[in-house]
C-alpha cells in the first residue's frame, strides 16, 4: 500500500476529532484550490484533502450520515442498490450503544474495525431538537443510520470511540495489523504500468511512484492494481497513465491508451454554508472552553492527552435534520415553478423520499479557518449549517502537467446551475426560521453574529441569495470523477465491479466512482464502496483460483 503523506500514528491532531482544521493546510493537506467560481462571487475555494496515512477520514467531521436508499437506487445498478449499500456500510462498523441513545439496532454492525458511537448534542442541541420539531421535522433519533426519512431530526453518529477518531487505517493497524501488507509512506504514485497482451488487450501490471527525494520506483502486482486516491487524485493517476479523454491527453502529449471520456468529469460536491448567530445567555455553548480561554488548544490537548476527553475529543456539531423544501418553492417562487421535472421528481431530480437539504449546528463559535470573529468573554455564538443535497452543478478534474507532484486542476463550478442557488437560498431561509422562530430557540437568539450583522432579518429567497453566494463553500464531499456505469453509459469509467473499462486488473475504489452524490456525508459510502470492492476482489481471486485448480 502506497501513501503520499506521512505516517499518522503519532499525529495527535488527527486522533483528536475536534482538531480537524489543524490538518487542512501545510504538509498534511494536498493544498488544492479551485479557480475563481462565478457562482460564488468569483471566490477561490480551498478544498482540503488529507495527505497522511488515513487520508481525509483523518480530518473530516467524523459524521455518519448514510443518506437514504433511493440515493443508491438512482445509480441504476443492482449491485449498488440502497439495500446493498446499507448492508455494506454497516459491515465495516462496530457500534457502541449508549444508555441515553435509542438506537435502531438493526441499522448497525457490531464486528467491524470502524468504531461508531452517538455523541450528546449539548444544551443548545436539545433546544435545537425542539425547534426542529416545531417546524414539522419529527424526532427520529437514529434516522441518519436507518435512512428512514427525508424529513426529520435526530442524532448523527460519529466515528469516534474512547476519545479517538476511527480511520480506514484501523483496518490495517492497531489490532488489525497484517503480516502480508507492506505500507510505504511519503511516496507519490505517478502512473499505472500497462502491458499489451497477446490478444491486444491492456492489463495493469503495477505502478510507478516516486519518493520524497525524487527517486523513481516500480511496484508490480501479482493480481490487481487498486486505485484509492480519491475524487481528485484517482482521475489524475488514470490521466497520467493515458486513460481518459483523448483530446485532454493529447493536449499534454500523453499517449492515449484508453479513450475514456468520463475520466475527471462529473465532479460533484455538497454546497455547505455556516451562518452565525449570537445567543443572549451563557451555558448553551462551549465557547468558554473553546474561545474564551486564551490557552484553549493547549488546555484541550492536555486534557485529551491525559484522559482522552475534553473539547478536542469530539467534533463540535450538535443536532441534525433533513428537510424537503420543494413544496415551499413551488408555492412561493415563480422561477422554481418553471423548471422541468421528471415524473415523481422535483427539479433537483430528487424523489419524495430524498431530502433537499441537511441542517446541523455547531456547539460553539467555530468552523472553517476563514471564520475568525471569535467571541470574547461574555459573548456566545454558534453557526447554523445547511448543505445542499442533489446538487446539479458539475465540474471537472484535469491535469495541469504530467508531473505527479503537481496538483491537478480542480474546478467545481459551484452554483453554476441556477437550481442550486434557489434551493440553497431556501434552505438558509428555512434554517433562519428554525433558529429565530423555533419554539425553543426564538427566545435565546440575540441576533446575527458578528455584532453589526443583520442577516437574521432576511425574509425572502431573494434576500438570502447574495448571502449564499458570499459564504457558501465546499462540504468536503467531492465525488463522481471516475463514475460507475453500465455498458451503455459512455461516460462511465468503471463497471459495476469497479473495474476500469478497457483495462484488465485495474479497479478504482473510492468516492470518485459515485455517479451521483448521495444525501449525506461521504464517509459512510466510502467504507461501503471499500467493503464491496473487497468482496469483488475476493470473488475474482476465488474464481481464478478455481480455474487454476481445475487445470491441475
Amino acid at each position: 500500500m502506497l501513501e503520499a503523506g506521512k505516517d499518522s500514528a503519532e499525529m495527535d491532531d488527527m486522533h483528536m476529532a475536534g482538531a480537524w482544521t489543524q490538518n487542512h493546510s501545510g504538509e498534511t493537506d494536498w493544498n488544492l484550490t479551485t479557480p475563481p467560481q462565478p457562482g460564488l462571487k468569483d471566490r477561490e475555494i480551498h478544498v482540503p484533502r488529507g495527505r497522511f496515512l488515513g487520508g481525509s477520514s483523518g480530518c473530516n467531521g467524523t459524521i455518519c450520515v448514510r443518506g437514504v436508499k433511493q440515493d443508491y437506487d438512482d445509480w441504476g445498478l443492482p449491485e449498488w442498490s440502497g439495500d446493498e449499500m446499507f448492508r455494506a456500510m454497516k459491515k465495516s462498523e462496530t457500534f457502541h450503544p449508549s444508555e441515553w441513545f435509542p438506537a435502531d439496532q438493526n441499522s448497525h454492525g457490531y464486528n467491524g474495525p470502524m468504531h461508531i458511537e452517538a455523541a450528546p448534542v449539548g444544551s443548545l442541541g436539545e433546544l435545537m431538537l425542539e425547534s426542529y420539531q416545531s417546524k414539522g421535522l419529527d424526532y427520529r433519533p437514529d434516522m441518519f443510520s436507518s435512512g428512514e426519512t427525508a424529513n426529520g431530526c435526530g442524532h448523527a453518529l460519529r466515528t469516534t470511540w474512547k476519545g479517538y477518531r476511527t480511520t480506514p487505517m484501523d483496518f490495517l493497524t492497531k489490532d488489525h495489523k497484517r503480516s502480508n501488507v507492506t505500507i510505504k509512506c511519503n511516496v507519490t504514485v505517478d502512473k499505472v504500468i500497462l502491458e499489451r497482451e497477446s490478444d491486444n488487450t491492456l492489463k495493469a501490471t503495477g505502478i510507478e511512484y516516486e519518493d520524497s527525494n525524487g527517486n523513481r520506483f516500480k511496484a508490480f502486482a501479482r493480481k490487481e492494481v487498486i486505485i484509492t486516491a480519491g475524487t481528485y487524485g484517482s482521475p489524475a493517476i488514470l490521466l497520467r497513465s493515458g486513460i481518459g479523454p483523448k483530446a485532454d491527453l493529447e493536449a499534454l502529449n500523453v499517449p492515449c491508451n484508453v479513450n475514456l471520456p468520463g475520466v475527471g468529469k462529473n465532479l460533484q460536491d455538497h454546497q455547505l454554508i455556516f451562518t452565525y448567530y449570537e445567543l443572549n445567555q451563557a451555558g448553551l455553548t462551549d465557547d468558554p472552553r473553546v474561545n474564551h480561554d486564551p490557552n484553549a488548544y493547549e488546555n484541550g490537548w492536555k486534557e485529551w492527552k491525559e484522559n482522552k476527553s475534553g473539547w478536542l475529543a469530539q467534533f463540535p456539531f450538535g443536532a441534525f435534520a433533513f428537510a424537503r423544501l420543494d413544496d415551499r418553492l413551488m408555492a412561493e417562487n415563480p422561477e422554481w415553478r418553471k423548471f422541468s421535472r421528471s415524473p415523481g421528481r422535483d427539479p433537483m431530480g430528487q424523489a419524495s423520499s430524498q431530502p433537499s437539504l441537511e441542517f446541523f449546528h455547531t456547539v460553539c463559535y467555530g468552523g472553517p479557518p476563514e471564520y475568525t470573529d471569535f467571541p470574547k468573554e461574555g459573548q456566545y455564538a454558534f453557526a447554523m449549517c445547511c448543505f445542499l443535497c442533489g446538487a446539479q452543478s458539475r465540474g471537472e478534474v484535469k491535469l495541469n502537467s504530467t508531473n505527479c507532484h503537481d496538483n491537478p486542476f480542480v474546478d467545481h463550478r459551484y452554483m453554476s446551475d441556477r437550481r442550486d442557488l434557489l434551493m440553497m437560498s431556501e434552505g438558509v431561509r428555512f434554517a433562519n426560521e428554525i433558529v429565530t422562530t423555533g419554539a425553543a430557540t426564538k427566545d435565546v437568539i440575540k441576533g446575527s453574529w458578528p455584532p453589526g450583522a443583520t442577516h437574521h432579518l432576511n425574509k425572502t429567497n431573494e434576500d438570502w441569495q447574495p448571502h449564499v453566494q458570499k459564504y457558501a463553500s465546499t462540504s468536503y464531499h467531492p465525488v463522481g470523477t471516475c463514475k460507475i456505469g453500465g455498458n451503455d453509459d459512455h461516460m462511465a469509467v468503471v463497471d459495476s465491479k469497479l473495474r476500469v473499462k478497457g483495462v484488465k486488473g485495474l479497479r478504482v475504489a473510492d468516492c470518485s466512482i459515485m455517479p451521483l452524490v448521495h444525501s449525506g456525508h461521504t464517509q459512510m459510502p466510502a467504507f461501503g464502496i471499500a467493503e464491496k470492492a473487497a468482496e469483488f476482489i475476493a470473488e475474482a481471486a476465488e474464481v481464478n483460483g478455481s480455474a487454476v485448480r481445475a487445470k491441475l
Side-chain angles (χ1 to χ4, degrees), residues 91-416:
K91 184 178 178 181
S92 282
E93 73 172 293
T94 288
F95 171 63
H96 299 278
S98 301
E99 288 186 6
W100 65 269
F101 179 63
D104 181 341
Q105 300 294 336
N106 292 328
S107 294
H108 296 285
Y110 299 90
N111 299 299
M114 176 178 58
H115 295 275
I116 290 181
E117 63 180 345
V121 297
S123 299
L124 179 60
E126 296 297 339
L127 298 183
M128 287 299 305
L129 287 172
E130 290 185 46
S131 286
Y132 287 144
Q133 292 173 78
S134 73
K135 295 299 180 180
L137 305 177
D138 292 342
Y139 179 55
R140 303 190 184 192
D142 208 6
M143 58 175 278
F144 299 107
S145 301
S146 65
E148 65 191 81
T149 183
N151 226 63
C153 65
H155 303 266
L157 276 59
R158 319 295 171 92
T159 47
T160 56
W161 176 238
K162 294 184 176 180
Y164 279 93
R165 172 196 291 272
T166 282
T167 79
M169 290 319 301
D170 293 351
F171 288 67
L172 293 175
T173 60
K174 299 178 181 178
D175 297 334
H176 296 274
K177 288 184 178 179
R178 298 168 183 264
S179 60
N180 63 339
V181 175
T182 298
I183 300 173
K184 288 183 177 291
C185 293
N186 299 305
V187 296
T188 301
V189 172
D190 180 14
K191 63 180 69 174
V192 179
I193 299 170
L194 300 173
E195 293 186 0
R196 186 78 61 179
E197 297 200 305
S198 58
D199 60 358
N200 207 36
T201 60
L202 284 174
K203 182 178 180 180
T205 60
I207 53 93
E208 295 184 26
Y209 67 96
E210 293 186 5
D211 66 14
S212 55
N213 295 317
N215 298 310
R216 198 166 183 86
F217 303 90
K218 294 181 180 181
F220 292 95
R222 284 182 291 177
K223 293 183 179 178
E224 298 189 28
V225 174
I226 317 298
I227 298 176
T228 59
T231 296
Y232 306 136
S234 289
I237 291 172
L238 291 179
L239 290 167
R240 289 195 296 268
S241 307
I243 302 170
K246 186 176 183 180
D248 291 354
L249 296 172
E250 289 178 343
L252 289 170
N253 295 316
V254 177
C256 181
N257 291 308
V258 183
N259 183 15
L260 284 183
V263 174
K265 311 305 181 185
N266 190 48
L267 176 61
Q268 301 162 55
D269 189 9
H270 296 121
Q271 285 276 260
L272 172 65
I273 188 167
F274 287 68
T275 302
Y276 291 90
Y277 298 87
E278 185 174 7
L279 293 158
N280 59 21
Q281 61 180 261
L284 294 177
T285 73
D286 210 8
D287 286 311
R289 288 197 300 177
V290 180
N291 293 311
H292 300 165
D293 179 0
N295 299 310
Y297 188 85
E298 292 80 2
N299 290 333
W301 175 81
K302 183 179 179 181
E303 183 177 355
W304 179 84
K305 201 71 173 176
E306 293 175 353
N307 305 311
K308 299 300 177 284
S309 61
W311 70 271
L312 284 170
Q314 283 288 348
F315 199 78
F317 286 172
F320 282 64
F322 275 161
R324 282 194 54 76
L325 300 185
D326 178 48
D327 288 348
R328 280 173 58 115
L329 283 166
M330 282 296 291
E332 301 179 20
N333 194 296
E335 185 179 1
W336 186 258
R337 290 194 290 269
K338 292 178 182 179
F339 289 116
S340 62
R341 57 179 68 208
S342 301
R345 302 282 173 151
D346 63 26
M348 305 291 286
Q350 300 285 82
S352 60
S353 59
Q354 294 170 291
S356 305
L357 302 118
E358 181 187 283
F359 303 92
F360 50 92
H361 64 92
T362 61
V363 299
C364 60
Y365 180 85
E370 59 264 32
Y371 292 103
T372 57
D373 298 306
F374 302 107
K376 297 179 174 63
E377 190 168 353
Q379 297 176 318
Y380 308 94
F382 73 100
M384 184 64 178
C385 302
C386 168
F387 88 60
L388 179 67
C389 302
Q392 295 300 295
S393 300
R394 298 290 185 270
E396 66 177 338
V397 173
K398 300 172 71 174
L399 292 181
N400 277 312
S401 79
T402 57
N403 187 331
C404 64
H405 299 289
D406 290 345
N407 276 336
F409 172 82
V410 175
D411 186 0
H412 273 279
R413 302 192 187 111
Y414 288 126
M415 294 291 172
S416 58

